[in-house]
Amino acid sequence: KFMLKKLFGFLIFAAGIVLGGSAHSRELPDFTDLVEKQGPAVVNISTTSALMAQPEIGTYCISKAGLNTMTRCFARELGPQGVRVNAISCGVIKTAMGDHTLNDPGRYADMMKINPLKRPGYPEEVASTALFLATEASSYSTGLILQVDGGVLA
């Protein structure tokens, strides 16, 4: 299931874990009306797991690595039409999806070992990054995968 938010001429595109089904069976959004507007932006939500192989969630890691590549490809393909395409690569964020790490003492300790800021991120931190990428504040940025991970991939 894809979550798509269209706000003020930009898109936030986030997909969590989806079980089953082939890629070609998924219906992707139509970007036609977005492309027709001046200065539109697409912001994909990715994860540090796209760059760090992790046990038990291999298909998730692979799908987010694909999203990162899609972000860069779309940036090149849609850039000439004035569409900017970027992504946010999130670390562990205090959301329902992050609970498997935050509520497991062993996983949480492992995360703290590799997280220089020694804390999880907050949804508001991801949202403010998305707002930056979606607005004219980042008007010369496209194909960017911006880390919001507490320094995990530093």
Side-chain angles (χ1 to χ4, degrees):
K1 182 175 182 181
F2 293 106
M3 180 175 67
L4 182 64
K5 299 283 184 181
K6 183 175 175 182
L7 305 165
F8 310 108
F10 61 86
L11 294 172
I12 306 295
F13 191 44
I17 295 174
V18 178
L19 300 176
S22 61
H24 71 275
S25 70
R26 302 285 180 217
E27 185 176 323
L28 295 176
D30 180 4
F31 293 106
T32 306
D33 66 330
L34 180 70
V35 171
E36 292 170 357
K37 295 182 180 184
Q38 183 178 4
V42 175
V43 180
N44 293 314
I45 305 298
S46 188
T47 176
T48 56
S49 297
L51 299 174
M52 295 171 43
Q54 296 187 45
E56 302 173 11
I57 59 168
T59 54
Y60 179 69
C61 298
I62 293 165
S63 68
K64 291 300 187 169
L67 178 66
N68 288 355
T69 300
M70 183 184 86
T71 297
R72 291 183 184 105
C73 289
F74 281 8
R76 287 193 170 268
E77 290 180 16
L78 298 176
Q81 299 168 49
V83 179
R84 295 178 299 106
V85 183
N86 294 294
I88 301 170
S89 179
C90 301
V92 175
I93 306 297
K94 283 190 78 119
T95 63
M97 196 162 170
D99 283 350
H100 75 282
T101 298
L102 299 173
N103 296 333
D104 180 313
R107 287 180 197 252
Y108 187 78
D110 288 344
M111 183 191 75
M112 288 299 112
K113 289 177 190 172
I114 62 170
N115 185 320
L117 295 183
K118 304 296 180 200
R119 68 172 181 83
Y122 295 95
E124 297 81 7
E125 293 168 314
V126 177
S128 62
T129 304
L131 186 60
F132 166 73
L133 290 174
T135 63
E136 291 301 309
S138 65
S139 62
Y140 196 59
S141 297
T142 194
L144 179 67
I145 313 294
L146 186 57
Q147 300 303 132
V148 178
D149 67 353
V152 168
L153 293 180

